[in-house]
Amino acid sequence: MKFFIDTANLDEIKEAYDLGVLDGVTTNPSLMAKEGITGEENVKAHYKAICDIVDDKVSAEVISTDFEGMIKEGKELAKIDDKIVVKVPMIKDGVKAIKYFSNEGIRTNCTLVFSPGQAILAAKAGATYLSPFIGRLDDIAFDGLELIEQIVHIYQNYGFDTQVLAASVRHTMHLIKCAEIGADVVTCPLNVITGLLNHPLTDAGLAKFLADHAKAAGK
């Protein structure tokens, strides 16, 4: 399973990368705004700064909702760095844009996916990654993890190359369940990744080891 961090905060990206488990980054306009990044050139510069930290796979989202606009924006984003993956919304023109980018050799991440039918369309169009939003489905009393399971099963049935990228991951159990189901990637905040480190028995065991060492050393 690949770990992507869902943020535009450079310090968080560096921390995740230094941990040695980071495979990529996903961002969106909301995350950029949260970091106070405004203006087209500043946004592009920030994407470049992210690319300079990580090894590969930085999802950069188009803002346009029409085919021509998405193609223009996507090409500009792809020019920033070879690590860029163009993030495209699951709408009719978005599916058309994914097909276009696929034919041009530009990697894509189809975002805002909430149903198996949408997942099939994205895979047929050649999306590199597909982002079903677990947490947002949970928020409206639908089982987000069940959607991940459905999509993984469908993709396995037909040998689709599109990777299932579980998004809107809110906590460590979301991540672990996605691993059990077989999602290719999860994208989540830093605290979800670092939360995997925590276990009370680890803390208790380490405290005892250190205490025993101190006794043996006569401290």
Side-chain angles (χ1 to χ4, degrees):
M1 171 180 274
K2 299 183 182 72
F3 282 6
F4 291 2
I5 186 171
D6 193 37
T7 186
N9 183 286
L10 298 182
D11 290 336
E12 290 181 352
I13 294 168
K14 289 175 183 175
E15 183 176 346
Y17 183 80
D18 289 343
L19 189 60
V21 300
L22 189 66
D23 299 291
V25 177
T26 57
T27 62
N28 58 47
S30 297
L31 292 172
M32 284 288 185
K34 184 178 178 181
E35 298 303 317
I37 311 300
T38 59
E40 183 179 347
E41 293 308 312
N42 288 333
V43 168
K44 287 181 179 179
H46 200 74
Y47 279 134
K48 179 58 178 172
I50 293 172
C51 290
D52 289 343
I53 297 171
V54 301
D55 295 330
D56 197 7
K57 297 178 282 290
V58 177
S59 286
E61 190 162 347
V62 299
I63 306 301
S64 296
T65 56
D66 64 284
F67 177 76
E68 289 78 11
M70 282 188 270
I71 298 306
K72 181 180 178 182
E73 282 186 48
K75 286 182 175 180
E76 288 299 313
L77 290 170
K79 287 179 183 177
I80 295 172
D81 196 285
D82 289 342
K83 299 172 186 177
I84 291 289
V85 178
V86 178
K87 202 171 182 182
V88 180
M90 169 40 73
I91 56 177
K92 186 176 181 179
D93 276 11
V95 173
K96 290 168 62 178
I98 288 168
K99 182 63 175 178
Y100 176 90
F101 288 133
S102 177
N103 289 339
E104 293 294 312
I106 295 173
R107 294 177 297 177
T108 55
N109 177 359
C110 183
T111 189
L112 293 171
V113 172
F114 296 97
S115 76
Q118 291 176 328
I120 293 170
L121 288 175
K124 291 280 289 180
T128 313
Y129 300 99
L130 177 92
S131 292
F133 280 43
I134 301 173
R136 294 195 193 184
L137 280 171
D138 287 355
D139 290 343
I140 60 169
F142 282 83
D143 189 343
L145 289 168
E146 183 179 353
L147 175 62
I148 300 294
E149 190 169 9
Q150 287 177 310
I151 295 170
V152 168
H153 180 70
I154 291 168
Y155 281 12
Q156 288 175 345
N157 279 349
Y158 297 101
F160 287 130
D161 293 328
T162 301
Q163 296 186 44
V164 180
L165 193 167
S168 190
V169 170
R170 302 276 175 80
H171 45 73
T172 55
M173 284 310 300
H174 266 165
L175 189 155
I176 291 167
K177 288 297 182 182
C178 284
E180 289 179 352
I181 291 166
D184 301 288
V185 190
V186 290
T187 187
C188 55
L190 177 63
N191 69 295
V192 175
I193 296 173
T194 56
L196 297 173
L197 293 165
N198 300 329
H199 197 286
L201 292 179
T202 301
D203 297 337
L206 181 59
K208 187 175 188 314
F209 291 157
L210 292 175
D212 289 345
H213 173 73
K215 287 179 183 178
K219 296 181 181 179

